[in-house]
Amino acid sequence: MTSLATNEERAPWLNIVGVGAEGLAGLAPDARMALDTAATVIGGARHLEMLPERPGQERLVWPSPLETALDWIEARAGQPLCVLASGDPFWFGVGATLMRRFPAAQTCVWPAPSAFSLAAARMGWPLQQTRCLSVHGRPMEALRPWLHDGARLLILSRDGDTPAELAHWLTGLGFGDSTLTVLQSLGADREAAVRARAGAWPEVAIEALNTVALECRADPAAQVLAASAGRPEAQFEQDGQITKREVRAVALALLAPGRGERLWDVGAGSGAIGIEWMLADPANTAVAIEPRAERLERIARNASTLGVPTLRCIHGRAPGALGDLPPPDAIFIGGGLTTPGLVEHCIGQLRPGGRLVASSVTVEGDAVLAAAHERHGGELTRINVSRAEPLGGMAGWKPLRPVTLWSLRRS
């Protein structure tokens, strides 16, 4: 049991109890006492069905949306209340949601072994060397950045259909030789496992409560996403409006993505900058602003294909389309640079310490960047890139358009 309460703070009243597949029999004595003496209990229907009848004890099944339950809990603050959760409430569980509303000092937590811990123990995988992910309430495409040859992933399933869907999806990406071990009802008497290659997944019934242990094997033709910025243009669906990979790598270095930071990608084109920003860290977010509807649809497809399906897309032209978006940590201006007032507006929206990078391939755009540099300082960089291409029976250098980058860090 964990609690951070002190004598000066309100005594803990919100008890969070993790329940394993073995049910209430697996609870520690003090966790069971917290549950038995609670005036109110909230949890999933499966958990509440385990409880014996207790006259006078109020019970609530998690509603949708979850925020209504948080209001319900807050209205009972100070009364002994118990939340039932699956396994460890702080491994893709309700714990993080509760902590956004209620101080840790007012809680007592009894975590059960997580599905990840149990699965790692069954597989003999060091947990610190294994990526722990979930597709429960999350799109499967979010797994894409973690697929590479030799990777070991533990994945919380959505339901019994998830393993077959995952196997089919992996095969289509060139990971058909990967091995899936589906661990069902971990910790219960009925615990069982099914193991097969993704490309030869059998038609077999799988229990809804399951965790997939995935050992990735990439086919020679599989498109594995690099861990660094500057991914090939061929990995993005585009109409030619894309920041070339050499320039993109420099621009991302200047944008300097940190953990959990937000980017505005203004005039997003293919969405490559925003997508690579999000790929830099799973906690990062980005907004792509693009005036052309067909490009915006393309951006959404690119984001899904490349593993960041939560990229937000806004149809419109900046600065008007920026509206009341939350302030960003960084802004990239790749289109619309000559729009009057755009650069000044973007600078004004940056958080302190925020970074702005703007690019230009035209004389008019260069003039805007030169004027911005004179007013605000920062750095101007000119990038000239040539690529070798066939020339007769040999090869010659073909230059790309020179690109001007202006970068600024707001004080």
Side-chain angles (χ1 to χ4, degrees):
M1 182 271 288
T2 58
S3 172
L4 295 178
T6 67
N7 292 334
E8 291 76 26
E9 295 168 326
R10 176 189 289 175
W13 57 273
L14 178 56
N15 300 292
I16 306 173
V17 175
V19 182
E22 70 279 16
L24 302 184
L27 298 185
D30 50 354
R32 184 58 189 260
M33 180 170 290
L35 174 59
D36 290 343
T37 59
T40 305
V41 180
I42 183 170
R46 179 173 62 90
H47 290 141
L48 294 181
E49 288 170 1
M50 299 177 183
L51 303 181
E53 289 297 327
R54 193 166 300 280
Q57 190 177 69
E58 188 179 20
R59 296 175 182 178
L60 176 73
V61 177
W62 286 114
S64 181
L66 198 60
E67 285 296 320
T68 59
L70 300 184
D71 295 338
W72 191 84
I73 293 172
E74 191 167 33
R76 290 154 178 79
Q79 304 174 23
L81 187 146
C82 188
V83 172
L84 295 179
S86 295
D88 185 344
F90 290 90
W91 260 114
F92 291 101
V94 74
T97 302
L98 292 168
M99 290 302 103
R100 287 196 290 268
R101 181 77 72 93
F102 307 104
Q106 295 178 16
T107 67
C108 289
V109 184
W110 289 270
S114 69
F116 295 128
S117 296
L118 293 171
R122 303 297 187 268
M123 299 297 297
W125 292 357
L127 201 53
Q128 73 273 14
Q129 297 172 10
T130 305
R131 181 69 61 175
C132 297
L133 303 164
S134 175
V135 294
H136 186 81
R138 295 169 172 83
M140 193 167 292
E141 289 80 7
L143 304 177
R144 184 73 174 88
W146 312 113
L147 302 179
H148 61 83
D149 196 57
R152 287 177 169 179
L153 312 179
L154 293 176
I155 305 164
L156 298 181
S157 286
R158 178 182 64 253
D159 53 32
D161 295 329
T162 301
E165 294 173 9
L166 177 61
H168 178 75
W169 181 68
L170 288 167
T171 302
L173 292 174
F175 285 85
D177 282 335
S178 301
T179 300
L180 284 75
T181 303
V182 182
L183 302 159
Q184 307 173 70
S185 300
L186 281 164
D189 293 338
R190 64 183 184 281
E191 181 178 317
V194 175
R195 175 178 294 182
R197 289 176 49 253
W201 189 255
E203 291 187 12
V204 58
I206 300 293
E207 289 199 25
L209 289 176
N210 72 84
T211 301
V212 179
L214 173 62
E215 300 174 86
C216 293
R217 290 292 178 267
D219 300 341
Q223 285 196 356
V224 178
L225 298 184
S228 58
R231 294 159 178 94
E233 288 98 275
Q235 292 189 347
F236 299 86
E237 184 184 343
Q238 36 104 1
D239 59 1
Q241 189 69 18
I242 184 172
T243 305
K244 299 299 187 285
R245 65 182 303 184
E246 297 87 351
V247 177
R248 203 180 329 125
V250 175
L252 265 295
L254 294 170
L255 289 166
R259 179 168 176 75
E261 291 192 319
R262 179 184 297 110
L263 171 80
W264 290 357
D265 186 0
V266 178
S270 68
I273 290 287
I275 289 169
E276 295 214 283
W277 169 276
M278 292 182 69
L279 287 172
D281 191 278
N284 285 0
T285 59
V287 180
I289 300 97
E290 171 57 48
R292 293 179 58 170
E294 70 276 12
R295 284 182 178 165
L296 205 67
E297 294 172 0
R298 193 176 295 122
I299 290 168
R301 291 195 297 271
N302 281 334
S304 180
T305 299
L306 293 169
V308 289
T310 56
L311 173 72
R312 182 179 177 186
C313 299
I314 294 180
H315 184 210
R317 190 177 301 276
L322 301 178
D324 57 354
L325 292 174
D329 300 285
I331 300 174
F332 180 75
I333 304 176
L337 181 61
T338 58
T339 303
L342 176 60
V343 171
E344 299 295 331
H345 179 85
C346 287
I347 293 173
Q349 296 302 306
L350 279 175
R351 296 176 183 272
R355 292 81 64 197
L356 184 144
V357 176
S359 69
S360 167
V361 294
T362 67
V363 172
E364 293 80 3
D366 286 357
V368 171
L369 296 186
H373 179 258
E374 183 176 354
R375 288 194 303 273
H376 302 287
E379 295 182 358
L380 279 172
T381 304
R382 170 62 67 91
I383 301 176
N384 294 278
V385 176
S386 295
R387 295 177 177 174
E389 294 190 357
L391 184 62
M394 295 181 282
W397 293 107
K398 181 177 181 180
L400 304 179
R401 290 181 183 272
V403 178
T404 303
L405 294 178
W406 174 61
S407 59
L408 174 75
R409 180 179 289 270
R410 184 177 180 184
S411 58

